[in-house]
Amino acid sequence: MPECVMVSSAKPNSFPAFERIKSRKLFDALFVSGKTIKQYPIRMVWMETPYTKGHPVKIAVSVPKRFMHDAVHRNRMKRLVRESYRLNKQELTLVVDNAQKSLAVLFIVQSKTPLTFAETQEKIILLLQRLIQIHNVAAE
């Protein structure tokens, strides 16, 4: 049987499993010591992690039940946020990788009604641009 090897040169618009936050410790650390950027109704909590070459940014998406009660709407919002991130992550990945840093990012949707894809993408792009600005300033 062939071995499964994690390829670091994934397609630029892909969203493989190794780019997702799965560790409970990392989730807890994000909530305790993460920094926040808000673009209503999406809040982004991020923190630097030890550098890992090939996949410098790991993300997770949360849509709390207290904001959106229907599971159908929560799941759709998570899909929309993941898709928006997937389509717009290239610049952030390049900036962070060139600075030899790694990030853990958590997107939290705080809306009572589902957003459209266009609205979601606009908010995600603004959040990513602000995060890129922070890391460009820190690199200088």
Side-chain angles (χ1 to χ4, degrees):
M1 266 188 157
E3 286 185 41
C4 291
V5 178
M6 189 182 324
V7 180
S8 62
S9 61
K11 296 177 185 174
N13 279 344
S14 67
F15 186 54
F18 58 81
E19 288 186 3
R20 297 172 193 224
I21 297 175
K22 298 177 185 173
S23 165
R24 183 56 145 183
K25 286 182 182 179
L26 190 50
F27 266 107
D28 292 342
L30 271 169
F31 283 112
V32 171
S33 60
K35 298 172 184 138
T36 302
I37 301 173
K38 295 177 186 174
Q39 186 64 49
Y40 184 80
I42 300 175
R43 184 172 65 143
M44 180 171 66
V45 180
W46 64 277
M47 66 181 278
E48 288 189 25
T49 58
Y51 180 65
T52 52
K53 187 176 170 109
H55 43 281
V57 182
K58 290 186 173 229
I59 75 150
V61 179
S62 173
V63 183
K65 190 187 271 190
R66 70 177 179 180
F67 290 113
M68 219 171 279
H69 301 291
D70 293 339
V72 173
H73 297 306
R74 283 196 309 273
N75 292 336
R76 177 160 173 75
M77 279 309 306
K78 286 190 256 186
R79 281 195 306 273
L80 292 177
V81 171
R82 281 194 304 262
E83 182 68 5
S84 296
Y85 170 77
R86 182 186 73 81
L87 294 173
N88 298 291
K89 69 179 181 174
Q90 291 80 21
E91 189 178 353
L92 175 65
T93 304
L94 285 174
V95 167
V96 173
D97 205 21
N98 289 340
Q100 293 199 342
K101 296 179 181 178
S102 288
L103 296 178
V105 179
L106 173 63
F107 293 102
I108 303 171
V109 179
Q110 298 177 317
S111 173
K112 293 191 181 289
T113 58
L115 304 173
T116 65
F117 180 69
E119 292 170 325
T120 305
Q121 191 164 14
E122 176 188 337
K123 303 298 182 181
I124 295 295
I125 289 171
L126 290 171
L127 287 167
L128 292 177
Q129 287 173 347
R130 288 175 61 188
L131 189 57
I132 289 167
Q133 281 180 335
I134 290 169
H135 281 84
N136 279 339
V137 169
E140 293 174 355

